[in-house]
């Protein structure tokens, strides 16, 4: 079993985006708490699916947060409850062959990308 701390992995990316956009965005503590809940659900999913890596990105145009896990074929029956929990919190989800993102990636590795509401509000 692999143990991830999704929030810890994501924090530096989120802090960097917040610092870059501090003139336009303000942290919303309620949204940040929801994102921590997302991260805990993601931790459960990742521990069951044993991915190769977890990646976080901030979509600058919308301030949404993308969490992506990639790994060898996930055993569907092992991750379904955790996958449903994360899907319920996501605004969007896509599953694709990892080699489409990176031609050096071996075929058979799957990526699951989730888009979540950001933790910021626009300053007025």
């Amino acid at each position: 079993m692999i143990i991830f701390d999704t929030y810890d992995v994501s924090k530096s990316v989120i802090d960097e985006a917040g610092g870059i956009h501090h003139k336009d965005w303000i942290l919303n503590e309620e949204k940040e708490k929801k994102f921590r809940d997302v991260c805990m659900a993601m931790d459960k999913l990742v521990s069951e699916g044993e991915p190769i890596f977890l990646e976080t990105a901030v979509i600058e145009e919308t301030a949404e947060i993308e969490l992506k896990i990639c790994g060898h074929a996930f055993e569907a029956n092992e991750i379904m409850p955790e996958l449903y929990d994360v899907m319920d919190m996501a605004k969007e989800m896509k599953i694709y062959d990892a080699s489409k993102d990176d031609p050096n990636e071996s075929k058979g590795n799957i990526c699951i990308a989730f888009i979540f509401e950001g933790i910021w509000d626009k300053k007025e």
Side-chain angles (χ1 to χ4, degrees):
M1 174 188 279
I2 296 174
I3 308 247
F4 273 89
D5 184 338
T6 304
Y7 188 78
D8 189 50
V9 169
S10 302
K11 185 142 178 49
S12 63
V13 173
I14 290 169
D15 288 348
E16 181 180 342
I20 291 169
H21 298 285
H22 71 278
K23 294 179 182 174
D24 302 319
W25 301 348
I26 187 165
L27 180 68
N28 178 315
E29 290 182 13
E30 187 175 314
K31 289 180 180 180
E32 183 183 29
K33 183 184 177 320
K34 284 182 186 178
F35 184 69
R36 285 180 184 266
D37 292 341
V38 163
C39 289
M40 288 192 305
M42 195 68 148
D43 290 343
K44 290 178 186 174
L45 173 61
V46 169
S47 69
E48 291 299 321
E50 298 194 17
I52 295 170
F53 72 88
L54 171 102
E55 182 176 283
T56 303
V58 174
I59 302 166
E60 294 192 14
E61 298 80 29
T62 61
E64 294 169 321
I65 299 170
E66 178 186 53
L67 294 176
K68 178 170 62 173
I69 57 173
C70 295
H72 304 295
F74 296 95
E75 293 290 330
N77 60 337
E78 292 179 12
I79 67 166
M80 288 315 279
E82 292 80 9
L83 181 60
Y84 286 138
D85 288 345
V86 175
M87 285 170 51
D88 281 346
M89 293 184 243
K91 294 175 77 173
E92 186 179 323
M93 178 188 112
K94 69 178 181 177
I95 300 173
Y96 57 94
D97 184 328
S99 65
K100 292 186 185 210
D101 266 1
D102 183 353
N104 297 320
E105 189 71 45
S106 60
K107 288 217 179 259
N109 286 342
I110 296 171
C111 287
I112 306 174
F114 302 93
I115 305 294
F116 300 97
E117 178 180 25
I119 59 173
W120 305 276
D121 290 326
K122 282 229 180 236
K123 287 185 179 177
E124 295 185 23

